[in-house]
Amino acid sequence: MGKNVTATFYWLAVTDTGTGSCIWGCRGVSFGDGDLINTAYGTNIDTTDNNASTALQVRVSAASSAITIAGAGASEHVQFKITRNASSDTMTGDARLLDVMITYTRT
């Protein structure tokens, strides 16, 4: 059973004062009783956000597209892997990830 969530990234450019984009990625996996810890994560979903020409200014991305948590089940432990795709984004300096807000809809 797959469950979808979204991720919003809170970050800042450490020294970069350009308007380049930063690409953050998120993927998830769920573990229940007796599951193997080496289970593969779900598909990585990238979210792009632009710097605002100011270093050390908090940036908040839009919510990502739906992230499918691999192996999701009720009342299970979920782990997320967060990455920066610096080889594809256009921000030349270091980025610092401050926080990630995971949102899910319960029906």
Side-chain angles (χ1 to χ4, degrees):
M1 155 174 69
K3 297 293 180 193
N4 292 324
V5 299
T6 61
T8 302
F9 301 91
Y10 295 76
W11 65 282
L12 56 82
V14 178
T15 57
D16 195 326
T17 57
T19 58
S21 64
C22 189
I23 301 175
W24 296 103
C26 182
R27 57 188 165 207
V29 65
S30 177
F31 301 101
D33 186 35
D35 287 346
L36 294 174
I37 196 71
N38 64 348
T39 302
Y41 281 78
T43 302
N44 190 68
I45 301 297
D46 284 338
T47 302
T48 302
D49 196 29
N50 294 323
N51 191 26
S53 304
T54 305
L56 302 177
Q57 182 180 56
V58 175
R59 307 298 306 153
V60 181
S61 75
S64 69
S65 299
I67 300 165
T68 300
I69 299 169
S75 301
E76 290 188 344
H77 170 77
V78 175
Q79 286 183 268
F80 293 97
K81 186 176 283 189
I82 307 299
T83 56
R84 176 181 174 198
N85 190 347
S87 63
S88 294
D89 69 24
T90 60
M91 195 175 87
T92 58
D94 291 338
R96 181 172 297 151
L97 183 65
L98 302 172
D99 201 0
V100 179
M101 179 174 60
I102 302 294
T103 305
Y104 68 97
T105 302
R106 194 171 165 169
T107 55

